[in-house]
């Protein structure tokens, strides 16, 4: 199983942007994740993976959903994996992907807005 | 007051990625916002603006916080504004920025993870 998590410790990462200036170290990590999300195909891939029955999706099911080549899809999945947004493992012929749900939750928390400012 | 919101209607935007494949139109809009967040300086600028006393920050207070030129900071602020993440208005000499809190809340909701998948 390959894991390339880059999630920072809670004391560094993930205070909401609306509560304090984000420290430089956390900003670099968060920017990596948001940059990975900054592409429509990658957003669609992540949503397909995160919403898949059983919580994982085979690359063999992901690729046909796009009018893109296999290598292009693989590249996008690699970007998501290197940003810590998905995890993958190979079983036989195919690679299966799962969303890194704690990572997504951390990013969600960073953008969360307090009821009053 | 300049406004460049690109927030989509609720029926298009902002269902959590973990619940369904994001439609192409929403993916393009969301990717624009996440791409804008995919830079450490822009994340720090947004956090400084969103956490500022009174909910707004003067460019005259933002620029000195970075070892970057005024035009570079202005470029990053423009990217944030065009992605609908901040709003601005000029008062006299200076431009003041406010976070677009509904936009941030929408992006947070998109990345939110249900307790069980």
């Amino acid at each position: 199983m390959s894991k390339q998590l880059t999630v920072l410790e809670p004391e560094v990462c993930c205070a909401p942007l609306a509560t304090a200036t984000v420290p430089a170290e956390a900003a670099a990590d968060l920017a990596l994740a948001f940059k990975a999300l900054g592409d429509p195909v990658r957003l669609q891939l992540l949503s397909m993976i995160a919403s898949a029955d059983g919580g994982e999706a085979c690359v063999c099911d992901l690729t046909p959903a796009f009018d893109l080549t296999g290598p292009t899809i693989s590249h996008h999945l690699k970007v998501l994996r290197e940003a810590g947004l998905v995890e993958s493992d190979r079983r036989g012929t195919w690679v299966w992907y799962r969303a890194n749900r704690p990572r997504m939750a951390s990013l969600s928390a960073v953008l969360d807005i307090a009821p009053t400012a």
Side-chain angles (χ1 to χ4, degrees), chain A:
Chain A
M1 181 184 298
S2 110
K3 288 193 178 183
Q4 299 195 25
L5 304 187
T6 55
V7 180
L8 293 178
E9 295 302 314
E11 60 267 28
V12 176
C13 181
C14 307
L17 296 185
T19 61
T21 300
V22 61
E25 185 185 355
D29 173 68
L30 293 170
L32 176 71
F34 286 128
K35 192 172 179 181
L37 294 172
D39 179 277
V41 171
R42 289 198 289 271
L43 277 173
Q44 290 190 289
L45 281 167
L46 180 59
S47 67
M48 290 172 72
I49 294 165
S51 67
D53 286 342
E56 59 182 7
C58 174
V59 68
C60 58
D61 292 324
L62 297 170
T63 304
F66 298 88
D67 189 19
L68 296 168
T69 66
T72 298
I73 296 295
S74 292
H75 164 74
H76 284 308
L77 290 167
K78 182 183 177 191
V79 173
L80 289 172
R81 196 174 63 237
E82 290 181 346
L85 288 160
V86 301
E87 299 169 356
S88 65
D89 63 314
R90 176 179 291 277
R91 288 179 224 148
T93 304
W94 301 110
V95 181
W96 292 74
Y97 289 87
R98 292 173 302 287
N100 183 342
R101 302 172 80 83
R103 175 74 153 166
M104 290 176 65
S106 292
L107 298 172
S108 175
V110 162
L111 295 171
D112 198 22
I113 288 292
T116 57

